[in-house]
């Protein structure tokens, strides 16, 4: 009898769970619904996963877990290699090594007067910090918990402290990909014992920073014309980059004092 060359979705789940303990059949089905994987089907409708499908799925899960890539970015990378290809591994973001950089090194990267831009680049700032590249994907509370690796109670706690917010549609609340990014980062903090209540300071700091930026651009927004609104957005992008660079520089200075014992 000819040996079967493909795996069922249950067999794929068992194969991947050692590396990705939080993956579920629902998660695999969700990735398929988003067009990221496209397994063949048997005449009865069961999915057939071949080696290239499994490697593609493994790549998606790894980039989500290690690099926090939004689905839109993942989908674009997959589109570039075709429906069954696997992209090359994504280089870790610069933010992972930012604490090893000295302030002088960041200033050199920034090039003199543009040192603040260099600092933002060193912290992994996007070309447009107001655009995460997130897709229009929506998650229920259960899907958000599954995709982030957190339990339902932990995700609920994030919402209670204002770290994620949902949008009610009928009786169901949906969360966007920004919420998924926050939840995954919170899962990383949780490994060090930092809970949602400890992360509330980030929400408070973000609100205060947004309030400062609002004061700067409000006169432009009050003009209510397209040109002024475009200038307001450009100003917000620049302010966000400056804020990212300043926060990174101050955090490096504070942690340097900690590690040097002074």
């Amino acid at each position: 009898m000819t040996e079967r060359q493909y795996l069922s979705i249950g067999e794929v789940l068992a194969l991947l769970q050692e590396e990705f303990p939080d993956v579920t059949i629902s998660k695999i089905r969700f990735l398929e619904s988003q067009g990221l994987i496209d397994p063949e089907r048997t005449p009865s409708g069961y999915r057939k996963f071949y080696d290239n499908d499994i490697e593609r799925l493994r790549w998606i899960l790894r980039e989500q877990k290690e690099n926090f890539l939004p689905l839109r970015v993942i989908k674009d990378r997959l589109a570039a290699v075709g429906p069954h290809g696997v992209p090359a591994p994504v280089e870790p973001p610069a933010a992972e090594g930012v604490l090893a950089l000295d302030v002088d090194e960041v200033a050199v990267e920034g090039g003199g007067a543009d040192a603040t831009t260099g600092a933002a680049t060193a912290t992994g700032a996007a070309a447009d910090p107001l655009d995460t590249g997130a897709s229009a994907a929506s998650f229920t509370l259960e899907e958000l918990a599954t995709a982030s690796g957190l339990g339902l109670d932990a995700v609920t706690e994030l919402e209670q402290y204002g770290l994620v917010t949902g949008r009610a549609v009928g009786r169901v609340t949906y969360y966007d990909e920004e919420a998924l990014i926050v939840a995954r980062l919170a899962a990383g903090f949780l490994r060090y014992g930092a809970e949602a209540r400890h992360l509330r300071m980030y929400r408070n700091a973000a609100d205060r920073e947004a309030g400062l930026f609002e004061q700067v651009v409000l006169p432009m927004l009050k003009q209510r014309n397209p040109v002024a609104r475009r200038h307001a957005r450009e100003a917000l992008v620049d302010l966000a980059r400056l804020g990212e660079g300043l926060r990174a520089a101050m955090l490096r200075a504070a942690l340097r004092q900690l590690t040097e014992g002074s």
Side-chain angles (χ1 to χ4, degrees):
M1 185 173 62
T2 304
E3 185 179 352
R4 182 159 58 95
Q5 299 298 317
Y6 63 87
L7 299 181
S8 68
I9 190 170
E11 291 169 328
V12 170
L13 178 65
L15 181 66
L16 295 176
Q17 276 191 320
E18 182 176 353
E19 183 177 357
F20 308 100
D22 299 317
V23 70
T24 62
I25 286 180
S26 296
K27 169 73 172 179
I28 297 173
R29 287 172 176 164
F30 172 75
L31 294 174
E32 181 183 5
S33 73
Q34 298 299 305
L36 301 178
I37 56 175
D38 186 24
E40 291 183 17
R41 299 274 185 149
T42 68
S44 306
Y46 294 102
R47 296 169 179 82
K48 300 163 63 176
F49 289 85
Y50 291 91
D51 288 345
N52 59 331
D53 298 313
I54 297 168
E55 287 308 308
R56 187 178 174 100
L57 182 55
R58 182 178 279 113
W59 183 88
I60 294 168
L61 295 172
R62 186 175 295 125
E63 296 312 321
Q64 286 188 316
K65 176 182 178 181
E66 298 178 359
N67 296 322
F68 305 104
L69 289 186
L71 288 185
R72 187 172 122 191
V73 175
I74 290 176
K75 194 169 186 177
D76 288 344
R77 292 182 183 274
L78 292 173
V81 297
H84 300 290
V86 179
V90 175
E91 290 296 323
E96 291 186 11
V98 68
L99 297 180
L101 292 175
D102 289 331
V103 175
D104 292 340
E105 290 175 323
V106 175
V108 169
E109 285 190 32
D114 292 331
T116 51
T117 303
T121 302
T123 60
D128 182 347
L130 302 187
D131 182 9
T132 63
S135 70
S138 295
F139 308 88
T140 64
L141 183 68
E142 291 77 11
E143 290 169 340
L144 182 61
T146 298
S148 66
L150 290 171
L152 284 175
D153 290 344
V155 175
T156 301
E157 191 175 9
L158 289 177
E159 188 164 28
Q160 289 173 346
Y161 282 95
L163 296 168
V164 300
T165 55
R167 174 175 53 88
V169 179
R171 296 183 178 180
V172 181
T173 300
Y174 291 96
Y175 302 82
D176 62 15
E177 206 160 330
E178 195 76 69
L180 177 58
I181 293 172
V182 171
R184 282 189 174 147
L185 292 171
F189 275 103
L190 189 59
R191 290 197 296 270
Y192 293 91
E195 302 175 357
R197 59 191 175 89
H198 302 118
L199 304 181
R200 175 63 182 171
M201 66 177 184
Y202 290 100
R203 173 79 272 172
N204 293 337
D207 288 342
R208 289 195 297 269
E209 192 170 7
L212 171 63
F213 296 170
E214 181 183 13
Q215 294 178 37
V216 175
V217 303
L218 192 58
M220 288 181 274
L221 294 175
K222 285 183 175 179
Q223 295 181 37
R224 298 185 180 278
N225 68 74
V227 174
R229 288 187 173 275
R230 185 176 70 250
H231 288 166
R233 193 184 193 286
E234 291 170 353
L236 286 174
V237 168
D238 194 33
L239 287 165
R241 289 196 184 107
L242 292 169
E244 288 174 355
L246 183 58
R247 287 194 305 277
M250 297 182 71
L251 180 60
R252 281 194 300 274
L255 293 182
R256 186 177 298 116
Q257 291 179 5
L258 177 65
T259 57
E260 291 175 355
S262 58

